[in-house]
Amino acid sequence: MPLHNLNPNQLKAWNSLKESASKAENDSILEYFESDINRFENFHVKFNEFVFDYSKHLISPNIKSELLQLAEEAKLKDAIEAYFTGDKINQTENRAVLHTALRQSKTTSIEVDGENIVLKVEAVLQQMQSFVDKVHSGEWKSYAGKTFTDVVNIGIGGSDLGPNMVTEALQYYNKGLKTHFISNVEGDHVHQTLKKLNPETTLFLIVSKSFTTQETLTNANTVREWFLNDTNKESIKDNFVAVSTNLEAVKNFGIASDNIYPMYDWVGGRYSLWSSVGLSIALSIGFENFKALLKGAEEMDQHFRNADFSENIPVISALISIWYNNFLDAESEAIIPYTQYLQKLAPYLQQASMESNGKSVDRDGKKVNYQTGNLVWGEPGTNSQHAFFQLLHQGTKLIPADFIGFKNSLFGDKKHHDILMANFLAQTEALLKGKTAEEVRKELESKNISAEEVERLLPFKVFEGNRPTTSILIDKLTPRNLGSLIAMYEHKIFVQGVIWNIFSFDQWGVELGKQLANSILNELKSKTSTGTHDQSTEALMKLYKS
Ligand SMILES: O=P(O)(O)OC[C@H]1O[C@](O)(CO)[C@@H](O)[C@@H]1O
């Protein structure tokens, strides 16, 4: 069943939400709490080791019903089934979207073009496990007969951001191999990384779904040349492994066919960390932990597929985002994890969300007349408190934020953890309550300053409050919980795309820049110029060449 091409602004609920928004602008979240002593009870969802609290939002019970109605009218239930069962919902590339199949239990069957892909997934997982176990036990040795100490993932976008974020997030579970990520085509980035490495003990993973990406191939060739300085082509089979759908191109690069881990076109790059693209993750944390990551994601998949929308975390999270983006003119949302381990979560979500939903034509190819993908950004707390929280508290922009915190730290240092989490709780409360002029006046009057000075300082010290946050409180940062958290965001992005009536799984918008870069590169290498560029680009090219 294809996705229904329903434009949201033709839906009844969309129009009632518009009306509700014009009134809600003067509403107060604090008053919502005052008028409902069970608001927390009614506005939170428990799932495994997660508590998802969305009570601190500018969403009244009536607005919540209208948002849930919007999901119904957009036929979200049908869309979710189409997504999980392998319909070719990526219609501009004629592909199914089945990253969920990568973490589904072996007993299910999902067919793509008449083939049960769950069996294929299982075979690749076994190939990965055997490799990871051999590297860890020292059975798989380098060309020099040594055990590996370092792994380098060479890839970009989805072939970098997910594995990079997860290996960093789960470094507490690391089994001993150091991981490095080379992504940018910047030579300095490559050489800086290579400086730390010994070819005799370094394993290279070249990860590229297409195996045509300019950055990855340039970097892979540079690394291969560096490697061949000390050794010969025969040694490549011991130290180089590739992950790709383009088996021919990988073989031409010189990688042994046994060292190629397949990917499939029904997995988009930005949703691929669950596949063999996650080899660096499995090498870092061990295969059992990698399986736990998949398990956590599968549990979130089941929750998303089966829970009623009113109790469904990804659905609610997407509806909250749509509420602010489409009805209250918020342009961005912040991701604030209260753990340094998740410092790469925001960059990862930038690709997942903005490459997916940064679209301005609907599924009929017509220009939309409503907002789609929002801007996603963030940094861990408490660092971000000392950076951009000023703007969250007193700036002119409405920025809903996800606060992600853990009940337990990994090393069990309670003194630090209590301080960290006190900040988490204090910030969400401060954003909610603010500080009124009366409170500020009282505080200033208790100081030894003149009445004039009190009035002069007062406006600068007022906090309007009423600034919305979601609190996601999780027991502990484990592979399983991280799997659930990432899957939660993946499904949120999917729901947004369904309601916005856009295609979330293609990325044509990145092509033009790639084409132009190739033609400009030819001109940078030659003495002459084609003169076909705009005035500014021509001038800058000239300056660069001079
Ligand atoms: O894995 P590949 O084919 O090298 O592509 C890398 C990335 O480039 C893009 O195609 C465009 O940025 C992403 O979608 C993808 O994750």
Side-chain angles (χ1 to χ4, degrees):
M1 181 202 313
L3 299 182
H4 301 279
N5 292 11
L6 295 167
N7 263 336
N9 50 12
Q10 285 158 5
L11 302 176
K12 227 173 122 221
W14 188 271
N15 291 308
S16 3
L17 280 161
K18 258 193 185 163
E19 237 173 78
S20 299
S22 60
K23 296 179 206 137
E25 268 164 348
N26 301 318
D27 278 7
S28 139
I29 310 172
L30 270 182
E31 280 171 19
Y32 292 159
F33 276 104
E34 278 157 22
S35 62
D36 178 7
I37 51 159
N38 292 320
R39 183 168 168 91
F40 173 77
E41 212 42 51
N42 297 332
F43 281 71
H44 86 275
V45 180
K46 279 204 181 100
F47 158 81
N48 286 353
E49 298 182 355
F50 282 53
V51 173
F52 180 88
D53 168 22
Y54 61 104
S55 58
K56 291 192 186 89
H57 276 289
L58 202 54
I59 296 179
S60 65
N62 180 48
I63 293 166
K64 179 174 155 182
S65 315
E66 288 172 343
L67 287 167
L68 291 169
Q69 184 58 29
L70 178 67
E72 296 293 345
E73 288 177 21
K75 303 209 184 300
L76 179 60
K77 196 80 206 153
D78 289 350
I80 293 174
E81 276 318 288
Y83 170 52
F84 276 95
T85 51
D87 272 10
K88 296 198 170 170
I89 59 171
N90 175 0
Q91 286 174 30
T92 59
E93 294 178 325
N94 195 28
R95 290 174 186 169
V97 176
L98 277 169
H99 45 278
T100 51
L102 297 166
R103 56 231 189 182
Q104 215 149 81
S105 85
K106 281 181 265 179
T107 50
T108 42
S109 154
I110 302 168
E111 296 211 346
V112 173
D113 297 330
E115 199 183 1
N116 180 7
I117 57 160
V118 177
L119 299 176
K120 274 179 155 179
V121 169
E122 190 50 31
V124 176
L125 278 174
Q126 279 175 15
Q127 190 192 357
M128 285 170 72
Q129 176 165 22
S130 149
F131 176 63
V132 169
D133 289 349
K134 281 184 192 154
V135 171
H136 283 172
S137 68
E139 189 185 330
W140 187 298
K141 293 197 174 8
S142 77
Y143 74 91
K146 296 191 174 166
T147 49
F148 290 106
T149 56
D150 294 81
V151 181
V152 182
N153 187 92
I154 305 170
I156 196 165
S159 299
D160 166 75
L161 289 161
N164 198 345
M165 182 271 284
V166 175
T167 49
E168 167 116 7
L170 298 178
Q171 61 187 279
Y172 177 79
Y173 303 89
N174 176 271
K175 299 282 183 203
L177 280 166
K178 277 193 232 100
T179 47
H180 312 263
F181 289 83
I182 294 180
S183 51
N184 203 335
V185 72
E186 177 198 10
D188 288 345
H189 174 46
V190 181
H191 295 293
Q192 193 65 43
T193 309
L194 291 177
K195 223 167 113 177
K196 297 179 264 189
L197 298 170
N198 176 356
E200 292 189 353
T201 53
T202 304
L203 178 65
F204 294 98
L205 312 176
I206 305 175
V207 184
S208 175
K209 184 176 166 187
S210 59
F211 223 79
T212 56
T213 305
Q214 184 194 46
E215 292 92 331
T216 302
L217 290 189
T218 308
N219 289 340
N221 278 309
T222 302
V223 167
R224 184 176 59 176
E225 276 164 35
W226 171 85
F227 180 78
L228 291 176
N229 281 338
D230 290 293
T231 171
N232 54 44
K233 281 192 179 153
E234 246 312 281
S235 308
I236 290 182
K237 70 174 186 340
D238 298 311
N239 288 49
F240 281 75
V241 160
V243 177
S244 187
T245 53
N246 188 349
L247 307 188
E248 230 15 72
V250 179
K251 281 186 209 150
N252 292 340
F253 183 86
I255 291 185
S257 38
D258 285 350
N259 292 0
I260 306 175
Y261 291 79
M263 277 180 82
Y264 301 102
D265 70 1
W266 36 265
V267 178
R270 54 193 175 273
Y271 297 92
S272 66
L273 69 90
W274 323 99
S275 70
S276 44
V277 168
L279 209 46
S280 56
I281 303 173
L283 284 162
S284 171
I285 63 175
F287 204 74
E288 279 313 303
N289 282 324
F290 184 68
K291 286 288 283 268
L293 180 83
L294 300 188
K295 176 93 189 121
E298 189 200 0
E299 287 168 345
M300 182 55 83
D301 295 344
Q302 295 306 330
H303 165 80
F304 175 53
R305 197 170 173 183
N306 301 318
D308 191 88
F309 290 166
S310 63
E311 295 288 322
N312 193 313
I313 298 177
V315 172
I316 294 171
S317 172
L319 292 172
I320 292 171
S321 180
I322 286 174
W323 168 241
Y324 292 111
N325 185 45
N326 294 93
F327 301 97
L328 297 185
D329 299 331
E331 290 194 330
S332 76
E333 53 197 38
I335 307 287
I336 321 286
Y338 273 70
T339 169
Q340 224 31 51
Y341 288 117
L342 287 179
Q343 62 176 313
K344 291 188 177 142
L345 182 64
Y348 162 77
L349 289 176
Q350 283 171 343
Q351 187 202 19
S353 180
M354 290 154 82
E355 198 170 82
S356 297
N357 286 335
K359 313 286 165 63
S360 54
V361 288
D362 67 16
R363 289 199 284 267
D364 283 324
K366 303 217 169 64
K367 187 129 179 77
V368 297
N369 57 4
Y370 45 88
Q371 289 292 315
T372 62
N374 31 12
L375 306 166
V376 177
W377 58 287
E379 269 291 311
T382 60
N383 289 354
S384 50
Q385 294 174 197
H386 297 271
F388 55 74
F389 267 48
Q390 165 64 38
L391 188 145
L392 293 191
H393 285 288
Q394 287 189 313
T396 53
K397 295 191 166 45
L398 170 64
I399 302 170
D402 283 359
F403 278 62
I404 303 165
F406 297 87
K407 278 171 71 180
N408 302 290
S409 69
L410 295 181
F411 284 93
D413 188 330
K414 189 138 168 51
K415 187 180 120 202
H416 277 269
H417 203 62
D418 284 350
I419 300 174
L420 179 73
M421 290 308 289
N423 274 277
F424 170 113
L425 295 165
Q427 289 295 334
T428 59
E429 190 174 25
L431 287 161
L432 165 72
K433 287 187 171 168
K435 201 171 186 183
T436 61
E438 292 77 71
E439 287 169 321
V440 176
R441 184 171 289 109
K442 215 167 156 200
E443 196 177 283
L444 288 172
E445 280 170 355
S446 71
K447 295 190 174 139
N448 199 13
I449 51 176
S450 67
E452 219 177 35
E453 189 65 352
V454 167
E455 292 312 312
R456 190 182 72 80
L457 288 174
L458 195 132
F460 303 103
K461 298 200 167 220
V462 168
F463 288 64
E464 280 173 3
N466 216 22
R467 305 204 168 198
T469 56
T470 302
S471 295
I472 304 169
L473 184 63
I474 306 170
D475 276 6
K476 198 171 181 172
L477 180 54
T478 58
R480 176 186 176 218
N481 285 336
L482 181 64
S484 299
L485 183 71
I486 300 169
M488 176 197 96
Y489 280 112
E490 287 181 344
H491 299 321
K492 169 188 174 175
I493 293 163
F494 170 77
V495 174
Q496 289 173 311
V498 169
I499 293 179
W500 286 327
N501 190 25
I502 53 176
F503 287 122
S504 298
F505 297 100
D506 58 21
Q507 57 286 315
W508 301 107
V510 297
E511 295 305 321
L512 178 61
K514 285 187 195 171
Q515 283 164 11
L516 273 178
N518 281 332
S519 79
I520 289 183
L521 179 61
N522 289 334
E523 288 181 61
L524 292 185
K525 287 197 232 159
S526 93
K527 288 206 172 76
T528 54
S529 151
T530 58
T532 54
H533 303 280
D534 64 90
Q535 200 187 115
S536 155
T537 308
E538 284 292 342
L540 292 168
M541 281 168 61
K542 219 170 169 179
L543 281 168
Y544 177 78
K545 283 161 82 168
S546 64

